[in-house]
Amino acid sequence: MKLLFVINEFLESAGFSFVYGFFRSAAETRNVSLAVKTNADLSVSLPAKTDFDGVIFWDKDVLLAERLENAGFRLFNRAKAIEICDSKQKTALCFEKHKIPSPTTVISPKTYENIGYTNLDFLEKAAEKTGFPMIIKEEFGSFGKQVYLVNDLEKARETVGKISPKGFVMQEFISDCRGVDLRLCVIGGKVVSAIKRSNPEDFRSNI
């Protein structure tokens, strides 16, 4: 089997290098040929579909993912899944649509880059639903760096003022899960692996 492994040209860190090496090692163990290409490598022209049995798409370049799907490639993950999971707002809507239990969530109203949030009255209404402490998460972010815990309305206003005009979600804080989470991988409706992450120093398990 030969797979195309797509990564981001511009992400360079020890964490990402570890993950890329993990994929290469797993492929070698299973006698899978893994051709590594960056999104920049593929931005101008795509390889022939017949050259690969599938694509491991390990990036958030949704437009490139769509191009590959349009060309007939089979992607893991698919462009739509990447688009939903990359946006905490779209994830919340997906949970709502499919009735997946989750903390009470309020999506920020849309504003524009040259305007920002000029009226923060909606925060008080959101707090009536989520209560305090409240979690504020920027729509896009990784490794917990764009997630904030606010204890009152004043701090919520201050936080939104700093991240404006970015979109975000406001969520109920589940105190029992402070600094701990479980990530489960589900394939075909079955849990095939899981990891528990703990951080006694922070409310975020993945910081």
Side-chain angles (χ1 to χ4, degrees):
M1 177 181 286
K2 186 174 183 180
L3 298 176
L4 178 63
F5 183 38
V6 180
I7 62 176
N8 191 278
E9 173 72 32
F10 314 104
L11 285 177
E12 297 180 1
S13 71
F16 282 103
S17 295
F18 173 81
V19 172
Y20 301 156
F22 180 83
F23 271 104
R24 292 189 184 97
S25 176
E28 290 175 4
T29 300
R30 291 159 179 78
N31 295 317
V32 173
S33 175
L34 203 63
V36 182
K37 294 289 184 182
T38 71
N39 59 331
D41 293 333
L42 302 173
S43 62
V44 177
S45 60
L46 302 179
K49 174 181 175 293
T50 52
D51 290 345
F52 299 97
D53 299 297
V55 180
I56 298 177
F57 200 90
W58 205 253
D59 192 24
K60 296 181 180 181
D61 194 331
V62 176
L63 296 180
L64 174 59
E66 289 185 0
R67 283 190 65 208
L68 286 164
E69 288 182 341
N70 290 344
F73 287 88
R74 187 180 186 192
L75 268 63
F76 306 92
N77 294 304
R78 295 182 61 189
K80 189 63 177 178
I82 297 168
E83 180 183 4
I84 292 172
C85 293
D86 190 31
S87 164
K88 293 176 177 63
Q89 294 183 334
K90 290 187 177 181
T91 298
L93 290 176
C94 186
F95 286 173
E96 181 180 86
K97 178 180 178 180
H98 295 285
K99 295 180 172 52
I100 298 173
S102 60
T104 300
T105 302
V106 178
I107 296 175
S108 67
K110 181 175 177 61
T111 187
Y112 298 90
E113 188 172 351
N114 61 329
I115 298 175
Y117 295 101
T118 57
N119 184 338
L120 296 177
D121 289 350
F122 67 90
L123 289 176
E124 186 171 356
K125 296 177 182 178
E128 291 175 1
K129 293 193 67 175
T130 66
F132 285 110
M134 172 199 288
I135 297 292
I136 294 178
K137 297 179 181 178
E138 293 181 29
E139 180 180 8
F140 301 105
S142 300
F143 305 112
K145 294 180 181 178
Q146 294 80 20
V147 179
Y148 315 94
L149 178 65
V150 299
N151 292 311
D152 52 46
L153 192 57
E154 181 180 354
K155 190 63 177 179
R157 291 178 181 273
E158 178 186 331
T159 300
V160 172
K162 288 179 180 178
I163 67 176
S164 175
K166 297 174 182 176
F168 58 95
V169 297
M170 297 154 280
Q171 290 187 321
E172 168 191 10
F173 178 56
I174 309 299
S175 59
D176 291 347
C177 298
R178 186 183 185 95
V180 179
D181 77 359
L182 295 173
R183 288 211 166 182
L184 288 75
C185 295
V186 181
I187 299 177
K190 296 178 65 176
V191 175
V192 297
S193 65
I195 182 172
K196 180 179 181 180
R197 303 183 298 182
S198 299
N199 185 350
E201 307 299 329
D202 199 280
F203 73 96
R204 298 162 292 187
S205 61
N206 63 328
I207 186 66

